[in-house]
Amino acid sequence: MRNASPTLKAIAAHLGVSVTTVSRSLSGQGARYRISEKTQGAVRRLARRLDFSPNPLARGLRLKKTATVGLIIPDVSNPFFARIAHCVTIAARDHHHSVLLADSQEQTRLEIDSIDALLRRQVDGLILCPVGIADAHLRSLVRGPVPVILVDRHFPRLALPSVTSDNVGGARAATSHLLAAGHRRIGVLQGLPETSTNRDRLTGYRSALAGRGVRTDPRLVAGDTFLEDSGYRAARRLLRTRPRPTALFALGNLIALGALRAIAEAGLRIPGDISLVAFDDHPYADHLAPPVTTVAQDADALGRIAAGALFSRVRAQSLNSSQRHVVPTRLVSRGSVQPVSRASIQQQEKP
Amino acid sequence: MRNASPTLKAIAAHLGVSVTTVSRSLSGQGARYRISEKTQGAVRRLARRLDFSPNPLARGLRLKKTATVGLIIPDVSNPFFARIAHCVTIAARDHHHSVLLADSQEQTRLEIDSIDALLRRQVDGLILCPVGIADAHLRSLVRGPVPVILVDRHFPRLALPSVTSDNVGGARAATSHLLAAGHRRIGVLQGLPETSTNRDRLTGYRSALAGRGVRTDPRLVAGDTFLEDSGYRAARRLLRTRPRPTALFALGNLIALGALRAIAEAGLRIPGDISLVAFDDHPYADHLAPPVTTVAQDADALGRIAAGALFSRVRAQSLNSSQRHVVPTRLVSRGSVQPVSRASIQQQEKP
DNA sequence: ATGGCAGGCACAAACGATTGTGCAAGCCTG
DNA sequence: CAGGCTTGCACAATCGTTTGTGCCTGCCAT
């Protein structure tokens, strides 16, 4: 396999024709340039026999197209992003493109470097899951050389197309679910505060509360990143507030993990002592003790839609119309939410 | 950022020198070719000011080196492989290389295509997690144009370097753990039978049994892939055998997931009715009901070591000495294993 | 004055592809 | 038979680097 694919030159020499002729015969331009059917046939046969395929580097150099897309992700080892990566690579294969993967390790600095490196390599398009808050470095992408699609997080002020979950709706559904079970003091374990995902989820949470006429209490919101440790610390803090929240809403899968740990350490039982809902579904949710009610994001859809949007732009040579795509979420009800007893509601409403 | 980086030619024109001079000044070859310090300084200043960096395509074309490595994985959305991908991309960044990612979707056909595509793109090295059994297509890689490292699975008959977990040792430890708790009928939920991982884990299992003088019973081994569904079906089957196994050993994380489902459906309790040990640790293992004892693979180490080995070969231009690297596993004891009561042991030893 | 040597750079050929244009041979037409 | 049209392909530039070699100038020694 692939012991140095032959070149146009080699094929041309074998057949006693010019590289021009070979190139045109193989690229389907034969007719336009009046290469005889006989010659074209001979070229194609030999090319097939030698398993010729044009050198992508040379091609890219000449054409300024590399049949390559960039994918920048904060952390491939996060199942949510991994799933997106999976879908993107599969879509890329379908479009005969390769994927250059970069892991920004949740650092804006590395995200900038990665964008730079991929653009240098002349990717034909870029799918980016931005790490967070800063967007100055994204500004130049708007009128940049290649189409860009933002996934998971978006920047309202930036005219870049994006594909995100319905974070507002998902959070509202989760919160409503808790409200319907009688919960009124619902603690929120948030992620990185300035990100669009976090903001949207908080918005959904507040909107649900407002819908029921429940006042939001800023002291019920804790946490500062989407990492497990932040979830752990935030949960510990909220569990110590009095009166204690009767339910926690974790705004991310790792945060939920931290919350589970904190709740276990506090000697509390789910859902007897406290209810829990988490953003992001995962395969183990069913087998936790108890199974955890989650807001499932359709990561597959995010990846697929982003890739679809990107490739349609790549094909159409069109740039970044700032279209926004929102993918619905789904509330997966399991056993981690329990109705609040009347007594405890009244106890809560007094202070 | 990156509004079409200038070219050597542009810099040369600006300074009234030749591209040769610019190239040599920037590549540190200035002294060897007697470019005066003054000229070199001017070139370097301008290059810095214009944020010049050589076009990787042109460079690759000329040098036959692309500063790119290929990474082929059966399924990036599997946390184990995702972790490997994460470590590889980070190592690549450290070595100023980019990563071309391909997802073979557990299909040999796609694995072949991916290898081909990446070699065409002239990657400088390849990290491959082979999907399975077939190895004919890997034969040509042994004396191929670039260094290749196999990760997770290896092929004893192939002179390709590999980095794998100590599957034999891990399985032996898990099995010994069960034996020490008095288990004698230990069912195995295996993965894809002909793979090295599966073989090695079975070997470890049998070796532990043999060490205790326990006869192995082929009817206690079930399953045919590493996927959840296989684990589910295999567990269902084993749970119906009489006398029922007192413990199950799942040879993979997804398999364990299927086993959990099957056990729950059968109305059995872990560890009261049946004990469980699983290959592959994961963050949720602690919070399952009950926490599951696992054989933790150090996926980070696999990725890091593989990348390290690859880059040292890339640097040294050395090819594929068939060195094998084995990374230790760690038994993480949680609550899913319970000592067998004397009565049930005797009951088991009778038939 | 001439030969030799070193310094300082430029020329030009790669690497493989794509593409606008040019050119020869054959045929037809008037 | 001259001019023009068609057929069938080749020439050569180009993308942006890298690199072996060649060339000129000036200086020193003989």
Side-chain angles (χ1 to χ4, degrees), chain B residues 172-248:
Chain B
R172 185 165 28 220
T175 311
S176 298
H177 182 65
L178 288 169
L179 287 168
H183 294 275
R184 292 299 177 267
R185 282 186 68 76
I186 304 174
V188 172
L189 310 174
Q190 70 174 352
L192 193 56
E194 307 291 322
T195 59
S196 65
T197 37
N198 198 70
R199 260 203 321 271
D200 289 351
R201 290 171 193 177
L202 275 181
T203 300
Y205 162 76
R206 294 201 183 106
S207 142
L209 290 185
R212 282 271 188 156
V214 178
R215 239 210 317 278
T216 68
D217 181 348
R219 288 166 307 173
L220 285 178
V221 178
D224 43 22
T225 77
F226 281 103
L227 301 182
E228 170 175 359
D229 194 52
S230 165
Y232 173 72
R233 285 180 289 106
R236 270 176 55 124
R237 219 186 88 199
L238 291 188
L239 291 179
R240 278 200 294 260
T241 62
R242 291 292 176 270
R244 203 173 59 212
T246 61
L248 291 181

Side-chain angles (χ1 to χ4, degrees), chain A residues 7-8 20 23-24 33 55 58-59 62:
Chain A
T7 65
L8 286 186
T20 308
S23 172
R24 292 194 164 127
Y33 290 97
N55 181 318
R59 207 152 194 282
R62 178 70 227 252

Side-chain angles (χ1 to χ4, degrees), chain B residues 55-66:
Chain B
N55 181 318
L57 269 60
R59 206 150 196 282
L61 185 59
R62 179 69 228 250
L63 260 17
K64 285 162 178 348
K65 290 187 151 287
T66 52

Side-chain angles (χ1 to χ4, degrees), chain A:
Chain A
M1 172 196 315
R2 204 121 303 286
N3 261 334
S5 165
T7 65
L8 286 186
K9 187 149 71 167
I11 296 187
H14 255 251
L15 260 51
V17 300
S18 75
V19 291
T20 308
T21 299
V22 178
S23 172
R24 292 194 164 127
S25 300
L26 294 178
S27 66
Q29 306 260 1
R32 280 191 56 212
Y33 290 97
R34 299 185 305 251
I35 313 295
S36 68
E37 271 309 326
K38 194 165 64 119
T39 306
Q40 293 200 47
V43 168
R44 281 199 268 260
R45 265 192 305 281
L46 185 56
R48 183 143 318 153
R49 200 159 66 71
L50 298 183
D51 188 27
F52 169 83
S53 103
N55 181 318
L57 269 61
R59 207 152 194 282
L61 185 59
R62 178 70 227 252
L63 260 16
K64 289 170 175 344
K65 293 188 151 283
T66 53
T68 286
V69 298
L71 174 61
I72 303 179
I73 279 187
D75 178 8
V76 205
S77 69
N78 180 322
F80 174 70
F81 293 123
R83 192 101 213 132
I84 290 176
H86 179 73
C87 294
V88 169
T89 62
I90 287 176
R93 183 199 295 285
D94 291 346
H95 288 82
H96 305 289
H97 277 235
S98 295
V99 175
L100 274 169
L101 174 71
D103 190 311
S104 60
Q105 299 177 62
E106 304 272 9
Q107 296 172 40
T108 300
R109 181 70 246 156
L110 294 182
E111 179 173 303
I112 294 175
D113 291 350
S114 301
I115 293 174
D116 211 58
L118 296 189
L119 290 185
R120 262 192 232 293
R121 285 188 185 277
Q122 289 170 252
V123 292
D124 294 341
L126 193 56
I127 293 184
L128 174 60
C129 303
V131 300
I133 307 171
D135 63 350
H137 60 294
L138 303 180
R139 195 157 298 282
S140 63
L141 292 179
V142 177
R143 305 222 154 277
V146 298
V148 175
I149 310 274
L150 263 33
V151 181
D152 182 45
R153 298 183 191 165
H154 69 102
F155 296 91
R157 290 163 27 203
L158 239 49
L160 287 174
S162 67
V163 182
T164 60
S165 282
D166 179 9
N167 289 301
V168 178
R172 183 163 32 217
T175 310
S176 298
H177 182 66
L178 288 168
L179 287 167
H183 294 276
R184 292 299 177 267
R185 282 187 67 76
I186 303 174
V188 171
L189 311 174
Q190 71 174 350
L192 193 56
E194 307 291 323
T195 59
S196 66
T197 37
N198 198 71
R199 261 201 321 270
D200 290 350
R201 289 171 193 177
L202 275 181
T203 301
Y205 161 76
R206 294 200 183 105
S207 143
L209 289 185
R212 282 271 189 157
V214 178
R215 239 212 314 279
T216 67
D217 181 348
R219 288 168 306 172
L220 283 177
V221 177
D224 43 21
T225 75
F226 282 103
L227 301 182
E228 170 174 359
D229 194 53
S230 164
Y232 173 71
R233 284 180 290 106
R236 270 176 55 124
R237 219 186 89 198
L238 291 189
L239 290 179
R240 277 199 294 259
T241 62
R242 289 294 174 268
R244 202 173 61 212
T246 62
L248 291 181
F249 180 20
L251 299 193
N253 51 2
L254 298 182
I255 294 176
L257 209 48
L260 285 174
R261 191 149 57 88
I263 292 170
E265 279 187 17
L268 298 175
R269 314 280 307 195
I270 303 174
D273 301 319
I274 192 161
S275 291
L276 176 69
V277 179
F279 229 96
D280 289 344
D281 200 37
H282 50 81
Y284 288 99
D286 263 331
H287 302 286
L288 295 174
V292 171
T293 296
T294 60
V295 179
Q297 292 194 72
D298 195 346
D300 282 38
L302 291 179
R304 264 203 326 274
I305 293 171
L310 184 68
F311 283 113
S312 84
R313 272 155 226 257
V314 166
R315 251 207 282 242
Q317 307 269 33
S318 77
L319 267 187
N320 299 308
S321 67
S322 71
Q323 192 188 1
R324 293 198 44 199
H325 216 292
V326 176
V327 177
T329 59
R330 197 167 41 89
L331 186 69
V332 182
S333 184
R334 298 195 178 90
S336 63
V337 174
Q338 198 175 66
V340 166
S341 68
R342 187 129 284 284
S344 70
I345 292 180
Q346 288 173 351
Q347 181 230 323
Q348 281 173 39
E349 281 172 347
K350 250 174 266 162

